[in-house]
Amino acid sequence: MNLDTPSLLIQQDTMERNLMSMVGFAQSQHIALRPHIKTHKSVHIAKRQVEEGAVGVTVAKLDEAEVMIDGGIEDIFIAYPITNKQKANRLKELTKRANIIASVDSEVGAKALSDTFEGEVLEVWIKVNSGLNRCGVEPGEETVSLAKYIAALPGLELTGLYTHAGHSYGAKSNEERKSIAKYEAESVVKSAKACEVEGIRIRHRSVGATPTFMDAGKVKGVTEIRPGNAIFYDMVQVGLGIAQPEDCALTVLATVVAKHSDRIVIDAGSKSLSLEKGAHGNESVVGFGHVIGYPSLVIERLSEEHGVIPIDEQCELEVNDTVEIIPNHACVVANLFHEYVVCNENEVVNNWPVDARGGLK
Amino acid sequence: MNLDTPSLLIQQDTMERNLMSMVGFAQSQHIALRPHIKTHKSVHIAKRQVEEGAVGVTVAKLDEAEVMIDGGIEDIFIAYPITNKQKANRLKELTKRANIIASVDSEVGAKALSDTFEGEVLEVWIKVNSGLNRCGVEPGEETVSLAKYIAALPGLELTGLYTHAGHSYGAKSNEERKSIAKYEAESVVKSAKACEVEGIRIRHRSVGATPTFMDAGKVKGVTEIRPGNAIFYDMVQVGLGIAQPEDCALTVLATVVAKHSDRIVIDAGSKSLSLEKGAHGNESVVGFGHVIGYPSLVIERLSEEHGVIPIDEQCELEVNDTVEIIPNHACVVANLFHEYVVCNENEVVNNWPVDARGGLK
């Protein structure tokens, strides 16, 4: 390989192994897999996920949904509350081109969607808060109350409940992580049962972020998992014990551009590695990425285009040597690059665009 | 304005005022202005800067240089060490299309450039370390030594010294910031004199990051300033006392997508505001951006597409209200969006692409 740097590499065999692991788990539990594409933002990878059995994909933004539909993906769950007329109108255009499920977590949002879709029917799922304390209604009574409200609206068909246990990224032990996964699944399963007691059928009960899908996905009553990061993994997942460094399929290739007695400087900074150390409070992360093959090196400081790594006199890295870095948070790093350089056994085999990059709306 | 969100707004009159302030200062000191475009990455804004008197622009990466040349900018300083043959070859292509000055801070780099340009002449400046402790040779003896090495190479013409006092972003007082500016200027001016004692003429002595250009630019012997962020300003600059919130020309427009008793959630997260709190250690920054008109609100947590703001019962913001946020670090935020929405007195007057966005190589 003689690549210009910084470059964003995918180890294809590692990615494929991660994909088959997700698929295999879902099949073993007889549940659906609807991976979140906000991690890779790639039509090519989304298609691979569907080819291997995913029932569709999950997206956060309408921009992401549009890119996936343009790429030929036909089933899309938009796991983000759409609350106003402007976005509801964009959503309506998308429902003409693909099977779309939208998300609701407020009466305001439900009303906006129903008004827009009146005369037609939009499939929606309620977002339940399972402890991340971001969006979502509370499990139990509050969920049932919103379900009843939706059931009475003309433009909506409620078919599912879902949650995202993003706080599992900050779990301090395996036990804590498993306990979050259990609560995550139960918050949805029990809320679904409470809705069904009221005569509102809830076919889909969707859970499972990357740290929790293998635990939450085993809870009886769960019908679907939505891992995103698990296609690549990263140092936050390694810190959680969910993955090993060799499971991490995404890396940043950087060049040493300066060497001084106390430091080397690489050409990857906050515009390629991001300043993430785990957005939901993960404390395992050291520095701004893991330099493969150099476990004692810490990327201590990032400017926009420079990474500074303290060294001692043992450091054999010289100016123009390259290093491969596993990022702390793969999802935000992929969003910083134009394209993936796809590698297989150290050969470049392909380039894939990061299609939905910067699709924030 | 009825814009989809999150959107990246420029207040055009504020930006123009910031531009004229930079230009006016440089003219008053009879020094050159060569603004860094890594902040805005926009051909349109670069052209405005040149129209108003900038002698050219500064870029970090060859990708940025290419975009600027494609856009018609003719004088470019690449303020980043180019150390290997691959990048040197790319650089050589650029010198056929524009006046380029390259940066050197090592013999390895100087040799690579000279070998590539042998038979022609590449203009280079030496990068001097003025305390950021990233790239750059030490002022004085080490600078003179590299200058002599370069003077003996066939492919290079040394015409300047430059430095970047990025550590001024972490200054804890106005005195500390001014002291950094003074040292910054002196590190270059004194090193230039030391070179001239050895018979090596140094025409250009270039300094002046946004926090320091108005102090360092006044030091006798300095010939040029290179502020980048000053075209927009941001909350780090406000924290340093360099700007007021009303000087900040760049904002992110976001929508409230959820309201709970203890928090609101906005549709701007780490993929639009970044997790920056000042890369070089600025401690003034509170949360992940300043919500204009709501001084008591703190954007406490960011997920990729969500910002979480704690509230009390006084908070009048409701779902679907929009807020305008001054980011902590404008340069990385601009790099996350496809385009600027240019506003004048609350009217949208234009859209400008973030042309060099993601130009990392």
Side-chain angles (χ1 to χ4, degrees):
Chain A
M1 287 202 295
N2 187 27
L3 293 167
D4 202 357
T5 60
S7 278
L8 186 66
L9 313 187
I10 288 177
Q11 301 303 328
Q12 192 171 19
D13 53 347
T14 310
M15 186 195 89
E16 286 285 326
R17 204 168 63 227
N18 295 344
L19 169 58
M20 295 319 291
S21 167
M22 266 186 273
V23 168
F25 174 78
Q27 287 174 345
S28 75
Q29 302 300 313
H30 308 290
I31 58 178
L33 170 67
R34 198 187 299 269
H36 207 309
I37 65 84
K38 56 130 189 172
T39 300
H40 56 71
K41 289 177 172 267
S42 154
V43 167
H44 182 97
I45 299 174
K47 282 186 165 170
R48 280 291 300 128
Q49 291 174 313
V50 171
E51 274 165 18
E52 292 298 339
V55 295
V57 300
T58 304
V59 305
K61 296 297 181 111
L62 292 166
D63 281 350
E64 291 175 339
E66 278 165 6
V67 169
M68 289 298 130
I69 294 170
D70 289 346
I73 302 290
E74 292 168 354
D75 284 270
I76 296 174
F77 169 48
I78 302 170
Y80 201 88
I82 289 168
T83 53
N84 64 25
K85 198 76 191 162
Q86 188 170 26
K87 290 214 197 269
N89 286 336
R90 284 182 67 197
L91 175 67
K92 195 166 181 179
E93 290 305 306
L94 298 185
T95 59
K96 296 172 186 162
R97 302 174 57 207
N99 302 318
I100 304 276
I101 304 166
S103 163
V104 177
D105 74 344
S106 68
E107 293 189 1
V108 173
K111 182 77 168 49
L113 289 177
S114 179
D115 287 351
T116 308
F117 280 84
E118 203 169 340
E120 299 171 47
V121 174
L122 172 68
E123 187 176 353
V124 296
W125 293 359
I126 291 175
K127 169 107 180 220
V128 179
N129 175 28
S130 58
L132 178 55
N133 297 331
R134 199 173 64 183
C135 292
V137 289
E138 294 306 307
E141 205 176 308
E142 207 173 299
T143 303
V144 173
S145 166
L146 183 58
K148 284 182 182 170
Y149 182 84
I150 294 170
L153 289 173
L156 305 185
E157 185 193 8
L158 175 66
T159 64
L161 303 185
Y162 82 106
T163 193
H164 172 63
H167 54 305
S168 62
Y169 281 79
K172 287 181 181 57
S173 66
N174 202 30
E175 289 64 43
E176 187 186 345
R177 188 184 54 72
K178 280 175 179 285
S179 147
I180 290 170
K182 187 163 174 277
Y183 181 76
E184 175 192 12
E186 286 175 355
S187 70
V188 165
V189 171
K190 287 184 181 171
S191 298
K193 282 183 189 157
C195 288
E196 298 198 330
V197 165
E198 299 289 329
I200 301 167
R201 193 182 161 211
I202 303 293
R203 289 208 309 279
H204 303 285
R205 297 102 184 262
S206 175
V207 300
T210 290
T212 59
F213 77 89
M214 289 212 183
D215 295 298
K218 285 178 187 159
V219 173
K220 198 168 171 250
V222 162
T223 64
E224 179 183 284
I225 51 171
R226 304 186 322 277
N229 188 281
I231 191 78
F232 290 151
Y233 290 117
D234 54 29
M235 289 312 289
V236 167
Q237 305 296 343
V238 170
L240 286 167
I242 296 300
Q244 298 300 312
E246 54 270 28
D247 301 321
C248 295
L250 190 82
T251 58
V252 172
L253 186 74
T255 298
V256 177
V257 293
K259 184 175 188 178
H260 298 271
S261 60
D262 62 344
R263 66 188 183 275
I264 54 173
V265 181
I266 57 172
D267 65 353
S270 64
K271 278 177 174 164
S272 30
L273 290 171
S274 91
L275 282 170
E276 282 239 9
K277 289 193 149 192
H280 299 299
N282 188 291
E283 288 174 2
S284 67
V285 162
V286 179
F288 294 104
H290 170 75
V291 186
I292 294 176
Y294 299 89
S296 67
L297 294 184
V298 175
I299 305 173
E300 202 172 71
R301 285 191 287 148
L302 298 183
S303 317
E304 285 161 61
E305 309 285 10
H306 304 75
V308 180
I309 304 175
I311 57 167
D312 57 26
E313 62 272 19
Q314 310 297 319
C315 180
E316 74 239 37
L317 286 166
E318 298 292 344
V319 171
N320 290 331
D321 285 346
T322 56
V323 290
E324 216 178 312
I325 300 159
I326 302 173
N328 290 341
H329 188 184
C331 312
V332 292
V333 167
N335 188 50
L336 293 169
F337 283 81
H338 293 312
E339 65 170 16
Y340 297 107
V341 177
V342 187
C343 304
N344 217 328
E345 292 180 358
N346 277 327
E347 291 287 319
V348 174
V349 294
N350 226 322
N351 290 284
W352 299 335
V354 185
D355 303 282
R357 171 168 189 254
L360 298 170
K361 292 190 174 78
Chain B
M1 285 202 297
N2 187 25
L3 292 166
D4 202 358
T5 60
S7 279
L8 186 67
L9 312 188
I10 289 177
Q11 300 302 330
Q12 191 170 20
D13 54 346
T14 311
M15 186 196 88
E16 285 286 325
R17 204 168 64 227
N18 294 344
L19 169 58
M20 295 320 290
S21 168
M22 269 187 271
V23 168
F25 175 80
Q27 286 175 347
S28 75
Q29 302 300 313
H30 308 289
I31 58 179
L33 170 67
R34 199 187 299 268
H36 206 309
I37 64 86
K38 57 132 188 170
T39 299
H40 56 71
K41 288 178 174 264
S42 154
V43 167
H44 181 95
I45 300 174
K47 282 185 164 171
R48 280 293 301 129
Q49 291 174 313
V50 171
E51 274 166 17
E52 292 298 338
V55 296
V57 300
T58 304
V59 303
K61 295 298 180 107
L62 293 166
D63 281 351
E64 291 175 339
E66 280 166 4
V67 168
M68 290 298 131
I69 294 170
D70 289 346
I73 303 291
E74 292 169 353
D75 285 270
I76 295 172
F77 169 47
I78 302 171
Y80 201 89
I82 289 168
T83 52
N84 65 26
K85 198 76 191 160
Q86 187 170 23
K87 290 214 196 270
N89 286 335
R90 284 183 66 198
L91 175 67
K92 196 167 180 178
E93 290 306 306
L94 298 186
T95 59
K96 295 171 186 164
R97 302 175 55 207
N99 302 319
I100 304 277
I101 304 167
S103 164
V104 178
D105 75 344
S106 68
E107 295 188 0
V108 172
K111 181 78 166 53
L113 289 177
S114 178
D115 287 352
T116 307
F117 280 82
E118 204 169 339
E120 300 170 46
V121 173
L122 172 69
E123 186 176 352
V124 295
W125 292 0
I126 291 175
K127 168 106 181 220
V128 179
N129 175 29
S130 58
L132 178 55
N133 298 329
R134 200 172 64 182
C135 292
V137 288
E138 295 305 308
E141 207 176 305
E142 207 172 298
T143 303
V144 174
S145 168
L146 183 58
K148 286 182 180 171
Y149 181 84
I150 293 171
L153 288 173
L156 304 185
E157 184 193 10
L158 176 66
T159 64
L161 304 184
Y162 82 106
T163 192
H164 173 62
H167 53 307
S168 62
Y169 281 78
K172 289 182 181 52
S173 67
N174 202 30
E175 290 65 42
E176 186 186 345
R177 189 185 54 73
K178 281 176 179 285
S179 149
I180 290 170
K182 186 162 175 277
Y183 181 76
E184 174 193 12
E186 285 176 354
S187 71
V188 164
V189 171
K190 287 184 179 170
S191 297
K193 283 183 188 155
C195 288
E196 298 198 329
V197 166
E198 299 289 331
I200 301 168
R201 190 177 163 216
I202 303 292
R203 290 206 309 279
H204 303 286
R205 297 104 182 261
S206 176
V207 300
T210 290
T212 60
F213 78 90
M214 289 215 182
D215 296 298
K218 287 177 186 158
V219 173
K220 196 169 171 248
V222 162
T223 64
E224 179 183 285
I225 50 170
R226 305 187 319 280
N229 188 279
I231 191 76
F232 291 150
Y233 291 117
D234 55 28
M235 289 312 290
V236 167
Q237 305 295 343
V238 171
L240 286 167
I242 295 302
Q244 298 301 313
E246 52 271 29
D247 302 321
C248 295
L250 190 81
T251 57
V252 172
L253 185 74
T255 298
V256 177
V257 293
K259 184 175 187 178
H260 297 271
S261 60
D262 62 344
R263 66 188 183 276
I264 54 173
V265 181
I266 57 173
D267 65 353
S270 64
K271 278 177 174 165
S272 29
L273 290 170
S274 92
L275 283 170
E276 283 240 8
K277 289 194 149 191
H280 298 299
N282 188 291
E283 289 175 3
S284 67
V285 163
V286 178
F288 295 104
H290 170 75
V291 185
I292 294 176
Y294 298 89
S296 67
L297 294 184
V298 175
I299 306 174
E300 201 171 72
R301 286 191 285 148
L302 297 182
S303 316
E304 286 162 59
E305 309 284 11
H306 303 75
V308 180
I309 303 176
I311 57 167
D312 57 26
E313 62 272 21
Q314 310 297 319
C315 180
E316 74 240 37
L317 285 166
E318 299 292 343
V319 170
N320 289 331
D321 285 347
T322 56
V323 290
E324 217 179 312
I325 301 159
I326 303 174
N328 290 340
H329 188 183
C331 313
V332 292
V333 167
N335 188 49
L336 292 170
F337 284 80
H338 293 313
E339 67 170 15
Y340 297 107
V341 178
V342 186
C343 304
N344 218 329
E345 292 178 0
N346 278 328
E347 289 289 317
V348 173
V349 294
N350 226 323
N351 289 285
W352 299 335
V354 186
D355 304 282
R357 167 165 193 257
L360 299 169
K361 292 188 173 79

